[in-house]
């Protein structure tokens, strides 16, 4: 927002022209003579830096598939343009600096000795108001960025579901080196026996390869369990609930009810900001399901025994 609003002022001397117009009006001079004496209306100082950015954005705009991340490399330079415009607004709002040494020639010698008197002569509320508008855009952008960051924290239910599944498996599957006397070892679930399926919705909301590596590995002496994802590829397509029941022990799914599975946990997502109640609202997004035949449901407290 800051860049979009301040960007035009990097190439147009609008603040300076308004300042010159008000100064001449106060002194009784004509407001129409010598427009080029003060640098004209346009400022082309940053034009050599803008043309490559414009070409970069234009070339990427020709692609059929467009994403906002394609123009991220151009944003730092666009912010430079906005900062240049903001510096010009600051000069107009606060025209005298350095203790009066930079007071223009039009002031008398008495005014040169006092920066405060020169400031009073050159200060006007119009320039100060334009500077306040620039500061307002910066503050608005900062607040908006914080709001979107907070919303994005709730926008990855698939990744959060994978982390919760890992914690659930940690508590329900004892270490293979743990000595357990009070159970039948044949019914003890093993880390290597876990088979996880991730549907499209969960895969698109935070299930990354790094998350999969963390979730599937526990100890060096245990083999990581496989994690399969749904997708448009033929090898990733599932053929109904019967195949799910036979093949997978756990599911990360946007469907709550799947035959042969029971609910372990649910992760909320799809955040939106409720301006009326001033809060972030979410709804159920990803369900963690466990096979009814999986023996780990009765083992949640065994990992603490030695």
């Amino acid at each position: 927002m800051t860049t979009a609003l301040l960007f035009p002022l990097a190439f147009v001397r609008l603040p300076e022209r308004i300042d010159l117009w008000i100064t001449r009006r106060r002194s009784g001079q004509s407001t129409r003579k010598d427009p080029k004496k003060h640098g004209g209306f346009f400022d082309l100082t940053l034009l050599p830096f803008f043309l490559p950015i414009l070409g970069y954005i234009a070339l990427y705009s020709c692609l059929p598939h467009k994403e906002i991340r394609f123009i991220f490399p151009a944003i730092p330079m666009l912010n430079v343009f906005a900062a240049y415009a903001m510096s010009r607004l600051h000069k107009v709002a606060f025209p005298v600096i350095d203790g009066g040494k930079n007071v223009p020639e039009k002031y008398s010698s008495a005014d040169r000795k006092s920066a405060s008197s020169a400031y009073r002569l050159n200060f006007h509320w119009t320039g100060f108001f334009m500077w306040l508008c620039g500061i307002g855009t910066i503050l608005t952008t900062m607040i908006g960025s914080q709001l979107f960051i907070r919303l994005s924290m709730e926008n990855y239910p698939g990744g959060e579901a994978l982390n919760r599944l890992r914690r659930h498996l940690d508590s329900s599957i004892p270490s293979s080196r743990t000595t357990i006397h009070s159970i039948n070892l044949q019914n003890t679930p093993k880390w290597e026996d876990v088979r996880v399926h991730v549907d499209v919705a969960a895969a698109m909301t935070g299930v990354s390869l790094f998350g999969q590596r963390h979730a599937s590995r526990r100890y060096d002496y245990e083999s990581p369990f496989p994690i399969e994802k749904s997708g448009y590829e033929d090898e990733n397509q599932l053929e109904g609930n019967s195949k799910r029941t036979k093949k997978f022990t756990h599911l990360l799914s946007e469907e709550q009810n799947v035959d042969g599975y029971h609910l372990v946990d649910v992760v909320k997502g799809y955040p939106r900001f409720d301006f009326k109640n001033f809060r972030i609202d979410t709804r159920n997004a990803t369900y963690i399901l466990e096979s009814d035949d999986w023996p780990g449901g009765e083992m949640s407290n065994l990992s603490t025994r030695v």
Side-chain angles (χ1 to χ4, degrees), residues 176-191:
S176 59
R177 292 187 178 182
T178 302
T179 303
I180 304 176
H181 304 284
S182 58
I183 62 171
N184 185 356
L185 295 179
Q186 294 181 351
N187 296 327
T188 303
K190 297 181 180 179
W191 191 265

Side-chain angles (χ1 to χ4, degrees), residues 260-301:
Y261 290 83
H262 59 270
L263 181 66
V264 173
D265 199 355
V266 59
V267 180
K268 294 183 177 297
Y270 307 111
R272 68 179 184 87
F273 190 77
D274 185 357
F275 289 94
K276 183 178 180 180
N277 299 315
F278 202 74
R279 67 183 184 184
I280 297 177
D281 290 336
T282 56
R283 58 187 177 90
N284 294 342
T286 303
Y287 298 92
I288 304 175
L289 305 177
E290 188 174 68
S291 174
D292 294 337
D293 299 330
W294 176 250
E298 301 175 357
M299 307 289 297
S300 57
N301 296 323

Side-chain angles (χ1 to χ4, degrees), residues 21-84:
W21 184 83
I22 293 178
T23 302
R24 286 185 169 181
R25 188 178 179 87
R26 284 180 176 178
S27 60
Q29 301 179 18
S30 172
T31 58
R32 296 184 178 181
K33 64 179 182 180
D34 297 335
K36 296 183 179 180
K37 184 178 179 180
H38 300 274
F41 191 73
F42 296 100
D43 183 2
L44 305 181
T45 304
L46 298 181
L47 185 61
F49 302 97
F50 172 66
L51 292 179
I53 298 298
L54 180 62
Y56 173 83
I57 296 176
L59 288 175
Y60 268 95
S61 298
C62 297
L63 294 177
H65 176 72
K66 300 177 179 64
E67 295 184 28
I68 186 64
R69 61 187 178 92
F70 292 165
I71 66 171
F72 280 176
I75 291 180
M77 199 63 206
L78 296 177
N79 289 337
V80 170
F81 301 148
Y84 181 69

